[in-house]
Amino acid sequence: MDDWKQVELSNACSRLSSGKNISAKHVTNEGIYPVYGGNGIRGYTDTYNFKSECAIIGRQGAYCGNVRYFSGKAYMTEHAVVICGNKNSNTRFLAYLLSTMQLGRLSGQSAQPGLSVKTLGQQVINLPPLKVQNAITDILAKLDDKIEVNESINKNLVA
């Protein structure tokens, strides 16, 4: 672990920013692309403002600080922080790492919890070499895939 580096999250990212506002009239139960807000999928729409892979962090609301990994096309709202790794970091590894950090503890103390992009960017993380990140991510992704298959089987058994 001597070759792991402590860096601020912002220095491991090519993107660390909130999404954009979308009018509620454009968010429906049907549509081509998922709309991600602070608490996960809000609905669907026919346009997207993101195309790649990222870690999504809930910026406001009950699930403030919640982290999920996403790959594909979607519309990211202003209530979601989008994080993409840079050339030295694996985006999915960052999602796994950030999910262990209890980011909700960083929310402002108000009636509506909220995280600032600046505060997130200042968080110090331990970042291994990219080769190690990739190896860790490969193992965890396989476990995630297995869990997804098992959950799908269980849903069929209940039905």
Side-chain angles (χ1 to χ4, degrees):
M1 289 183 59
D2 291 339
D3 50 354
W4 290 43
K5 295 185 174 152
Q6 285 194 329
V7 298
E8 286 190 356
L9 178 60
S10 62
N11 292 324
C13 298
S14 63
R15 176 177 176 177
L16 174 63
S17 63
S18 297
K20 302 291 182 203
N21 183 43
I22 185 171
S23 172
K25 69 182 178 182
H26 296 295
V27 180
T28 64
N29 291 331
E30 299 174 1
I32 302 169
Y33 307 106
V35 176
Y36 279 93
N39 295 327
I41 295 178
R42 276 184 50 194
Y44 297 86
T45 191
D46 292 329
T47 61
Y48 64 91
N49 65 357
F50 181 82
K51 174 184 162 183
S52 190
E53 65 172 342
C54 66
I56 304 170
I57 300 176
R59 194 173 71 80
Q60 291 183 321
Y63 296 102
C64 176
N66 190 24
V67 181
R68 67 186 48 82
Y69 171 78
F70 175 81
S71 180
K73 294 178 183 177
Y75 196 100
M76 305 296 180
T77 73
E78 73 278 12
H79 298 293
V81 176
V82 177
I83 294 179
C84 301
N86 62 20
K87 64 182 170 103
N88 299 315
S89 56
N90 179 308
T91 297
R92 195 163 189 174
F93 176 84
L94 290 176
Y96 287 129
L97 177 64
L98 294 170
S99 70
T100 69
M101 293 178 60
Q102 300 176 341
L103 296 173
R105 68 183 162 73
L106 303 171
S107 66
Q109 300 300 318
S110 66
Q112 176 75 357
L115 285 172
S116 78
V117 171
K118 181 179 178 184
T119 298
L120 285 170
Q122 293 170 339
Q123 297 311 297
V124 175
I125 59 172
N126 291 314
L127 196 63
L130 189 56
K131 184 175 180 178
V132 175
Q133 293 175 52
N134 292 339
I136 291 169
T137 299
D138 287 346
I139 292 167
L140 294 177
K142 287 176 185 168
L143 291 171
D144 281 345
D145 292 345
K146 181 67 174 165
I147 290 167
E148 190 175 316
V149 167
N150 288 343
E151 287 176 348
S152 178
I153 290 169
N154 288 343
K155 285 179 187 173
N156 287 332
L157 292 174
V158 173

